[in-house]
Amino acid sequence: LDPGSLIPDNLETKRILTVLDKMIDKLELSSMIPCVTESLDKFADILGPEDTTSLMEHQKLSKETEHLRAEDPRGSLSLLEQLKSSTRNVLRLLLPNPAVYQVLKRQALVRESPAKGFIKALKEFRNLVLERLMTSPEEEEEKLRFLKAISLQIKENTETITALEAELAATAQTREEEADWKDNVIKDLQTSMQDLPQDSKTINQQIKEEGEKQQTEELQASQARCAGLQEDIQELGARLNALVLEHRASEMALRKRKCRMEAEIVNWIQKYDTDMGEKEAEYEEIQAAYEEEKAQLSLLMEKRDFLLPEYSQIEEERRILQEKKEQASRELAIMTRAAIRIQAFWRGYLIRTIFKPKLKKKG
């Protein structure tokens, strides 16, 4: 993945990247200082008189340092310290001024800076640090396993290519030895047949032509075999490249999946924080209501404890009064029954008293 698409997931990573980015910005800006000092007239309106004076002093100090280093390298150490301090001050002046920074960046695209290679290497180091910080131990282990597998595959392919090249070299060597042997045979035949008649020359010519024809056929066969071996080498190289691309695509898919899972985890964490915040607020409301009710209950319990003896006394008085009422009711009932009986007895007595003389007269 592009290192620019990676998002730091913790504070330490962000701090490290911030330090590297600031260092790169300062280095780029310091490499552009000669552009400013050489064109102070263009930047005078943007910089202001104070900054322009500082840059003129820096330019003068730079020239003195170069001149002194050419004459006496050892005596320029103090001037180098002064130049370093002056460069630091110039950076402090130029960094807060975005207009000058943008103009210098446009000029830097036209002019070739001596520190361009170092700045490029530093940016690559920054991307490498970011990738390393964003790689978990599990991914690092998986990457090592992947690299080991690729290395083993490359080793096997290299061994195969080496064996094919050795076989090709042996075939070429054999072909050369056969050609040398045939040349020697032809030379021997030519030497032995110099004293033969003219007919022998014809036979020798035929033998030579046959030998050259056979040599040509074997050379063509060897070249065809070499071409086949070369095609096999190219095919193995293509397979190796295909495997590398396949594994890179797999690694990119895994990284995309990791980024997706990290985004989902962040969303779930945010949702969890939101829900927990709502639950916490609800819990605090319930806790406050509970504390209030608890306080009211405590107050009511204190009132109950204070009123309980009085209530018990009242209940006791009510019970005694109820018993007295019941006792009075019972006594009243007894007296009522007694009064009824006395009245009944008295009425009977009166009736008997009234009617007794009358009954005697009739009798």
Side-chain angles (χ1 to χ4, degrees):
L1 295 176
D2 183 12
S5 64
L6 298 177
I7 301 175
D9 54 357
N10 55 47
L11 184 59
E12 289 75 11
T13 303
K14 292 179 181 178
R15 287 176 177 173
I16 294 171
L17 293 179
T18 302
V19 171
L20 291 175
D21 291 337
K22 287 183 178 180
M23 183 172 63
I24 292 171
D25 293 339
K26 289 182 179 179
L27 186 58
E28 288 179 345
L29 189 57
S30 64
S31 66
M32 300 173 191
I33 291 176
C35 297
V36 182
T37 55
E38 292 174 4
S39 306
L40 283 175
D41 297 337
K42 297 180 181 179
F43 298 97
D45 296 334
I46 302 175
L47 293 172
E50 184 179 354
D51 296 347
T52 304
T53 304
S54 300
L55 285 169
M56 291 175 65
E57 293 177 356
H58 178 77
Q59 184 182 17
K60 182 179 178 182
L61 187 61
S62 264
K63 290 181 179 180
E64 291 178 358
T65 305
E66 290 177 359
H67 181 69
L68 186 59
R69 288 183 65 184
E71 294 180 355
D72 185 10
R74 295 182 179 179
S76 62
L77 294 178
S78 60
L79 282 177
L80 285 175
E81 291 294 331
Q82 295 178 11
L83 184 62
K84 183 172 69 173
S85 177
S86 176
T87 304
R88 190 182 298 113
N89 294 330
V90 170
L91 288 176
R92 289 172 182 163
L93 294 175
L94 295 180
L95 280 174
N97 197 335
V100 178
Y101 187 69
Q102 294 299 326
V103 173
L104 288 175
K105 286 190 73 174
R106 287 196 295 271
Q107 289 189 3
L109 295 175
V110 179
R111 296 184 56 176
E112 187 71 21
S113 174
K116 184 177 180 181
F118 181 70
I119 294 172
K120 182 179 179 182
L122 193 58
K123 289 181 179 179
E124 292 177 355
F125 174 72
R126 183 257 186 201
N127 294 333
L128 182 63
V129 170
L130 174 59
E131 184 178 359
R132 183 65 182 85
L133 291 174
M134 293 295 291
T135 303
S136 64
E138 293 78 9
E139 291 178 347
E140 186 70 21
E141 186 177 355
E142 183 179 357
K143 186 176 180 181
L144 290 175
R145 288 198 299 268
F146 170 73
L147 291 176
K148 287 180 180 179
I150 291 297
S151 300
L152 182 61
Q153 186 69 29
I154 292 173
K155 183 178 179 181
E156 293 177 355
N157 293 336
T158 305
E159 292 176 355
T160 303
I161 292 170
T162 304
L164 292 174
E165 290 178 350
E167 186 177 354
L168 177 62
T171 304
Q173 182 68 24
T174 303
R175 181 178 58 79
E176 291 177 358
E177 291 177 356
E178 290 178 355
D180 294 338
W181 177 76
K182 290 177 181 178
D183 290 338
N184 293 328
V185 170
I186 291 171
K187 288 180 181 179
D188 293 338
L189 289 173
Q190 289 177 352
T191 303
S192 60
M193 294 175 65
Q194 286 179 358
D195 299 332
L196 293 177
Q198 186 65 29
D199 295 336
S200 299
K201 292 183 179 179
T202 304
I203 297 171
N204 187 19
Q205 184 67 27
Q206 291 178 355
I207 293 172
K208 182 177 180 182
E209 290 177 356
E210 290 178 358
E212 291 178 352
K213 181 179 180 181
Q214 186 178 359
Q215 181 180 2
T216 303
E217 291 176 355
E218 291 180 355
L219 178 62
Q220 291 177 353
S222 177
Q223 290 177 350
R225 188 173 181 183
C226 291
L229 293 174
Q230 189 66 30
E231 289 179 358
D232 292 339
I233 293 172
Q234 292 178 356
E235 182 180 356
L236 290 173
R239 287 176 59 189
L240 176 61
N241 293 331
L243 286 173
V244 172
L245 293 176
E246 181 181 356
H247 287 295
R248 284 181 180 174
S250 176
E251 182 182 2
M252 184 174 292
L254 290 174
R255 285 185 175 273
K256 289 182 179 180
R257 182 181 177 186
K258 174 181 174 289
C259 292
R260 227 176 15 251
M261 292 180 67
E262 287 179 350
E264 291 180 0
I265 290 172
V266 170
N267 293 332
W268 278 108
I269 290 174
Q270 291 177 352
K271 183 178 179 182
Y272 172 77
D273 292 338
T274 303
D275 294 342
M276 288 303 297
E278 294 176 356
K279 296 293 183 183
E280 185 70 22
E282 184 180 356
Y283 171 75
E284 289 178 356
E285 292 178 0
I286 295 173
Q287 185 68 20
Y290 169 74
E291 293 294 336
E292 184 179 357
E293 291 180 357
K294 185 177 179 182
Q296 292 178 359
L297 177 62
S298 178
L299 183 60
L300 292 175
M301 291 295 291
E302 290 178 359
K303 290 183 179 179
R304 185 187 71 86
D305 294 338
F306 177 73
L307 295 176
L308 187 59
E310 185 178 355
Y311 175 75
S312 300
Q313 185 179 358
I314 293 172
E315 285 293 324
E316 184 65 22
E317 291 178 355
R318 286 180 179 177
R319 186 184 62 78
I320 294 172
L321 182 60
Q322 184 67 27
E323 289 179 356
K324 288 182 179 180
K325 285 182 180 180
E326 291 177 356
Q327 182 68 26
S329 298
R330 286 194 298 270
E331 291 178 354
L332 180 61
I334 293 170
M335 292 174 67
T336 301
R337 287 196 300 270
I340 291 171
R341 289 181 180 179
I342 291 171
Q343 289 176 0
F345 180 76
W346 178 251
R347 282 194 297 269
Y349 174 75
L350 288 178
I351 290 172
R352 285 193 300 272
T353 304
I354 293 170
F355 287 102
K356 188 175 180 180
K358 292 179 180 182
L359 289 174
K360 286 181 178 182
K361 287 178 181 182
K362 289 181 179 181

